[in-house]
């Protein structure tokens, strides 16, 4: 199964990420946050396993994270979990997952000899993963040091607020509606912004350069 899905690894990973980011636009927010979002993260974990299926040791590490996440989700659904314990474990699980997968995506995109649709999906997925890493960093800070971010909108979950903040910072849009107010939150904002800019300047530029060179060689042959 993993071998069959491997050629489509970036597409599967990309579309599961899009569902995580924008699913709440289709499904009511409470239902999405409680039931659908955890399932989508599990699907994204599985997509990461497909992506790393040729790296056996790393793949089994992700399999362990997937099993752990499924167990935690099950314990939450049957209300036997200690939220004070489950929350940090889930956050650490996803944080480790996105670090490992983002590094692998960058590696595969960097080493690609030919720029194809698959590589483009991988390039975009890597950028989206940086935003999710930023989100888990911000969420960790807010959980350990409450009120590190001001302007969080009432009636919207903290995860939705900080997901939005992470991507706005990554994209360097900076509307200023949510602000980092602690020293640690300031550092996180700088880190997220730097990650986004370095990715665009280095990784994206390399892929664009390869694509231009690829077109040039193709035109010369014609």
């Amino acid at each position: 199964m993993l071998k069959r899905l491997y050629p489509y690894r970036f597409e599967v990973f990309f579309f599961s990420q899009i569902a995580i980011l924008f699913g709440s636009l289709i499904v009511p927010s409470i239902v999405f946050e409680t039931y659908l979002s955890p399932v989508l993260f599990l699907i994204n974990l599985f997509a990461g396993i497909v992506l790393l299926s040729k790296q056996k040791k790393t793949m089994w590490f992700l399999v362990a994270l997937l099993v752990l996440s499924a167990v935690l989700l099950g314990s939450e659904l049957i209300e036997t979990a200690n939220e004070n314990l489950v929350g940090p474990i889930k956050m650490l699980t996803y944080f480790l997952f996105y670090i490992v997968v983002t590094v692998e995506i960058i590696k595969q995109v960097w080493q690609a000899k030919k720029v194809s649709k698959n590589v483009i999906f991988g390039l975009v997925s890597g950028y989206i993963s940086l935003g999710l890493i930023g989100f888990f960093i911000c969420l960790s800070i807010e959980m350990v040091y409450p009120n590190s971010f001001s302007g969080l909108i009432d009636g919207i979950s903290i995860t939705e607020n900080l997901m939005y903040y992470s991507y706005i910072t990554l994209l360097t849009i900076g509307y200023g509606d949510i602000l980092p107010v602690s020293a640690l939150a300031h550092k996180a904002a700088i880190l997220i912004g730097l990650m986004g800019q370095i990715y665009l300047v280095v990784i994206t530029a390399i892929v664009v350069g390869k694509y231009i060179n690829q077109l040039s060689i193709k035109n010369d042959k014609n």
Side-chain angles (χ1 to χ4, degrees), residues 85-159:
L85 181 62
V86 169
I89 294 176
K90 280 176 60 179
M91 185 174 58
L92 179 60
T93 299
Y94 292 130
F95 184 59
L96 290 174
F97 165 73
Y98 282 109
I99 289 176
V100 171
V101 170
T102 303
V103 170
E104 181 63 23
I105 289 174
I106 292 173
K107 180 181 174 182
Q108 291 189 23
V109 168
W110 187 298
Q111 294 177 346
K113 295 180 179 180
K114 182 180 179 181
V115 178
S116 61
K117 180 183 70 172
N118 201 36
V119 172
I120 299 301
F121 274 118
L123 182 68
V124 178
S125 292
Y127 193 70
I128 294 173
S129 294
L130 288 180
L132 290 169
I133 290 174
F135 159 68
F136 286 112
I137 291 173
C138 293
L139 186 59
S140 300
I141 293 171
E142 185 64 22
M143 289 178 67
V144 177
Y145 303 103
N147 301 317
S148 288
F149 297 89
S150 68
L152 301 181
I153 302 172
D154 294 334
I156 299 178
S157 68
I158 187 172
T159 55

Side-chain angles (χ1 to χ4, degrees), residues 6-105:
Y6 188 79
Y8 310 100
R9 61 197 182 281
F10 289 130
E11 287 96 327
V12 174
F13 195 79
F14 171 77
F15 286 114
S16 60
Q17 286 179 317
I18 293 300
I20 290 170
L21 288 177
F22 302 111
S24 60
L25 295 177
I26 301 171
V27 180
S29 183
I30 295 177
V31 176
F32 180 81
E33 287 287 329
T34 306
Y35 301 106
L36 191 56
S37 180
V39 173
L40 289 173
F41 271 110
L42 290 181
I43 294 172
N44 201 224
L45 268 168
F46 176 75
I49 291 171
V50 174
L51 199 147
L52 282 159
S53 58
K54 291 191 176 181
Q55 309 289 333
K56 296 301 181 182
K57 291 183 180 179
T58 312
M59 184 197 75
W60 284 113
F61 173 70
L62 293 190
V63 169
L65 293 183
L66 176 62
V67 172
L68 176 60
S69 299
V71 170
L72 293 175
L73 174 61
S75 63
E76 284 183 316
L77 291 177
I78 61 176
E79 299 181 351
T80 61
N82 183 344
E83 185 59 35
N84 293 329
L85 181 62
V86 169
I89 294 176
K90 280 176 60 179
M91 185 174 58
L92 179 60
T93 299
Y94 292 130
F95 184 59
L96 290 174
F97 165 73
Y98 282 109
I99 289 176
V100 171
V101 170
T102 303
V103 170
E104 181 63 23
I105 289 174

